[in-house]
Amino acid sequence: MVWWLFFIWIVLNGRVTADVLVSGAAVSVGIGLLSHRVLGLRPWGSWKDLARLPQGAAYVLVLVGQVLLANLHMARRILFPGSRAGKGRLVWFDTGLSGRGSRLLLANSITLTPGTVTAALQEGKIWVYALDESFTGDLQNGRFCSRLKQWEEEGR
């Protein structure tokens, strides 16, 4: 996990200098140890985790794509009020994910997507509020869940 965080730190900074490396290492180790204590995740990971780096990058690309699509839907909803498909809705759904880290990543991915907010996360089930009923249609079998299920299966 620390390696992932450090990699993301460097990518987001866009430059490699001594201060970026030192501060990135400190923040990555701190978050890794905190998530080990709170979530029970392995802070240092394993070689398997490094081999899964391309899958992680693909997940981030899917997330960015979904955020962009949701932004377009929200813009259409705001600019053209007549195109609204329905009212807001709370939905419980079973994620089918076994790992706590995967469920947390799914919950945060849903919250990052405009128009949806994760309201609760309990034992594999997520409670999501969506501004429009049409936003809830593909939650359980959507791209996020399927990618994370595949990730969990390959990690075993």
Side-chain angles (χ1 to χ4, degrees), residues 95-118:
T95 63
L97 300 170
S98 58
R100 291 174 74 182
S102 299
R103 292 191 303 254
L104 182 64
L105 182 59
L106 175 63
N108 287 326
S109 298
I110 290 171
T111 299
L112 283 173
T113 308
T116 56
V117 175
T118 302

Side-chain angles (χ1 to χ4, degrees), residues 22-155:
V22 171
S23 59
V27 169
S28 299
V29 168
I31 292 174
L33 293 174
L34 180 68
S35 36
H36 172 67
R37 184 173 179 154
V38 174
L39 298 173
L41 300 175
R42 294 178 308 212
W44 302 107
S46 65
W47 290 108
K48 275 185 185 179
D49 294 336
L50 286 176
R52 291 168 45 185
L53 190 59
Q55 288 178 324
Y59 184 83
V60 169
L61 290 175
V62 168
L63 176 62
V64 168
Q66 292 299 308
V67 167
L68 291 174
L69 276 173
N71 273 311
L72 292 174
H73 288 295
M74 288 302 297
R76 188 182 81 217
R77 183 179 163 86
I78 292 167
L79 295 173
F80 306 105
S83 69
R84 295 179 183 168
K87 297 179 180 180
R89 184 174 183 195
L90 283 168
V91 178
W92 274 104
F93 75 94
D94 187 11
T95 63
L97 300 170
S98 58
R100 291 174 74 182
S102 299
R103 292 191 303 254
L104 182 64
L105 182 59
L106 175 63
N108 287 326
S109 298
I110 290 171
T111 299
L112 283 173
T113 308
T116 56
V117 175
T118 302
L121 175 62
Q122 292 180 340
E123 300 302 319
K125 293 186 179 187
I126 293 182
W127 193 17
V128 176
Y129 175 76
L131 269 174
D132 196 320
E133 289 179 77
S134 64
F135 296 169
T136 63
D138 204 22
L139 283 175
Q140 189 167 7
N141 299 317
R143 292 183 182 190
F144 294 145
C145 277
S146 62
R147 288 220 180 245
L148 290 172
K149 284 177 189 174
Q150 180 182 10
W151 191 338
E152 281 186 346
E153 289 171 4
E154 291 178 7

